[in-house]
Amino acid sequence: MRRFALLLLILSVSNSVWSQASMGLNKDTNVQLGSMGIGTDEVPMANYWFYFPENRFIDSLRVDSLATRFAVGLELQFPTDKAYRTRDKYDPFLHELYFRKARGKTWFFIVAVIVILYLIYYRSVFKRQFELRVSSMFRPYYFEDLMREQQISSAAGSVHAYSIGLIVFVLGIMLYLINLDFNNLNTFFMFVVVLIIWTLISMCLFLLQRITTLSLDIGYFLSRNFQRQINVNLIMGLILLPLFLIAYFSGIGWQANWILHNVQSVLIVWISLRLWVQLWGIIRDSMLNLTSILYFCTLEMIPYLLLIKFLQNSL
């Protein structure tokens, strides 16, 4: 009986201790989890999803925010804001003295290539005449062979040789205009205009010389001087064409080269050499008399002197 009463007492005490322990455990759990307990007015509803780390990993797989970042680089994007270019009005490199003036144009090189092809054609078709013209400049007795060749063959070879020298001379005139800072004239159209004008001047001068020599009965005198003129033009054209190309395409770093800044002197030397060769030919042919001197001074020297003086005063 005593044992039974002691057992009931123990069971009752254990039940009361267990109930108090359960209540304390629930209270501690609510305090630790904070908002994870059953919500009241003071504590919100529990959100078990963001509490556990494994659930955070599952959320990163479910909503792949990193994939959109990689996709942006593969998509065509258009800027929404306009960024305007700003210019500093006090920038010294905006001054016209610092601007690069490109003078090299394609047309000059194309004309030079045409002259070279024209020379190759003349060299292949009129091979004998070309050799005589070059040789007669250094050995005078070849000039007589050239005159006999002109009597046998047609005058087409002389026209081709004269045209080659004329084109190269006009290229020198264009360099002279460019050196005077007439950059707007640096076009193929202007080259054609200058070529036509110089051709007309040469034709008018030749017609005047022809009429004068026929009236004075010295037609052979003009033919020999004209062939010497063609020889000088052809040789000077061959020598100066590569120099004109270098001077034209030299750029800003080579603007101080001698040819570009003295192209006027080069053209004057060209004309002076031609006149000297003609005068030397007159002396060598024993044709130095009053008539030939008057003709040479009036129709050979004075027209070029007047033209050079006019260009210097106008340009």
Side-chain angles (χ1 to χ4, degrees), residues 25-283:
L25 182 60
N26 291 334
K27 186 181 293 185
D28 294 339
T29 302
N30 291 332
V31 172
Q32 292 177 0
L33 294 180
S35 61
M36 298 180 66
I38 298 175
T40 60
D41 294 339
E42 298 180 357
V43 181
M45 285 293 293
N47 191 353
Y48 294 96
W49 183 263
F50 293 101
Y51 177 74
F52 299 100
E54 58 271 13
N55 293 339
R56 299 175 187 172
F57 178 73
I58 295 174
D59 178 66
S60 65
L61 295 179
R62 184 181 63 177
V63 182
D64 194 359
S65 59
L66 189 61
T68 58
R69 296 182 178 271
F70 282 112
V72 169
L74 303 177
E75 295 177 355
L76 184 62
Q77 302 180 30
F78 297 95
T80 56
D81 298 333
K82 294 182 179 180
Y84 296 96
R85 181 182 178 183
T86 59
R87 296 183 62 181
D88 185 9
K89 62 180 180 179
Y90 299 107
D91 189 359
F93 294 100
L94 296 179
H95 197 273
E96 60 180 3
L97 294 178
Y98 294 92
F99 286 162
R100 178 182 177 89
K101 299 178 181 179
R103 293 182 174 179
K105 304 294 182 180
T106 309
W107 70 266
F108 198 95
F109 179 75
I110 294 176
V111 172
V113 172
I114 293 175
V115 172
I116 294 174
L117 295 178
Y118 196 7
L119 179 63
I120 294 173
Y121 167 78
Y122 173 71
R123 173 70 175 77
S124 60
V125 176
F126 302 94
K127 181 179 180 180
R128 175 62 178 171
Q129 185 181 134
F130 177 79
E131 294 175 354
L132 290 176
R133 291 190 182 279
V134 176
S135 301
S136 62
M137 286 292 298
F138 306 99
R139 298 177 181 178
Y141 57 85
Y142 280 108
F143 184 74
E144 301 300 330
D145 296 338
L146 176 63
M147 295 303 299
R148 286 191 291 268
E149 179 72 20
Q150 290 297 310
Q151 294 175 359
I152 297 173
S153 62
S154 62
S158 299
V159 174
H160 293 315
Y162 184 82
S163 300
I164 293 173
L166 179 65
I167 295 174
V168 178
F169 189 84
V170 174
L171 289 178
I173 295 176
M174 295 300 298
L175 278 179
Y176 173 64
L177 295 176
I178 294 171
N179 185 54
L180 295 178
D181 289 334
F182 291 103
N183 294 321
N184 294 330
L185 304 181
N186 187 13
T187 59
F188 178 75
F189 175 75
M190 190 62 194
F191 166 76
V192 174
V193 171
V194 175
L195 181 62
I196 293 174
I197 293 175
W198 191 258
T199 303
L200 293 176
I201 293 175
S202 301
M203 290 178 62
C204 293
L205 182 60
F206 178 77
L207 290 176
L208 182 60
Q209 293 172 353
R210 184 67 176 173
I211 293 172
T212 304
T213 54
L214 289 177
S215 62
L216 297 175
D217 197 17
I218 53 174
Y220 62 93
F221 179 81
L222 176 62
S223 62
R224 296 177 70 87
N225 276 343
F226 187 68
Q227 292 301 324
R228 292 190 179 96
Q229 177 180 345
I230 294 175
N231 294 344
V232 175
N233 288 340
L234 180 62
I235 300 302
M236 292 297 294
L238 296 179
I239 295 174
L240 294 179
L241 179 61
L243 298 181
F244 286 167
L245 284 172
I246 294 174
Y248 184 79
F249 291 103
S250 58
I252 290 182
W254 285 57
Q255 284 188 0
N257 65 77
W258 188 88
I259 299 176
L260 186 60
H261 286 269
N262 297 277
V263 65
Q264 179 185 3
S265 302
V266 173
L267 297 179
I268 293 176
V269 170
W270 184 336
I271 296 175
S272 302
L273 179 62
R274 189 174 67 192
L275 295 175
W276 182 85
V277 170
Q278 291 177 351
L279 180 60
W280 177 251
I282 294 173
I283 297 173

Side-chain angles (χ1 to χ4, degrees), residues 293-309:
I293 293 176
L294 290 176
Y295 163 79
F296 183 79
C297 294
T298 305
L299 298 178
E300 293 290 348
M301 294 183 61
I302 293 180
Y304 291 106
L305 292 176
L306 293 176
L307 181 61
I308 292 172
K309 189 65 176 178

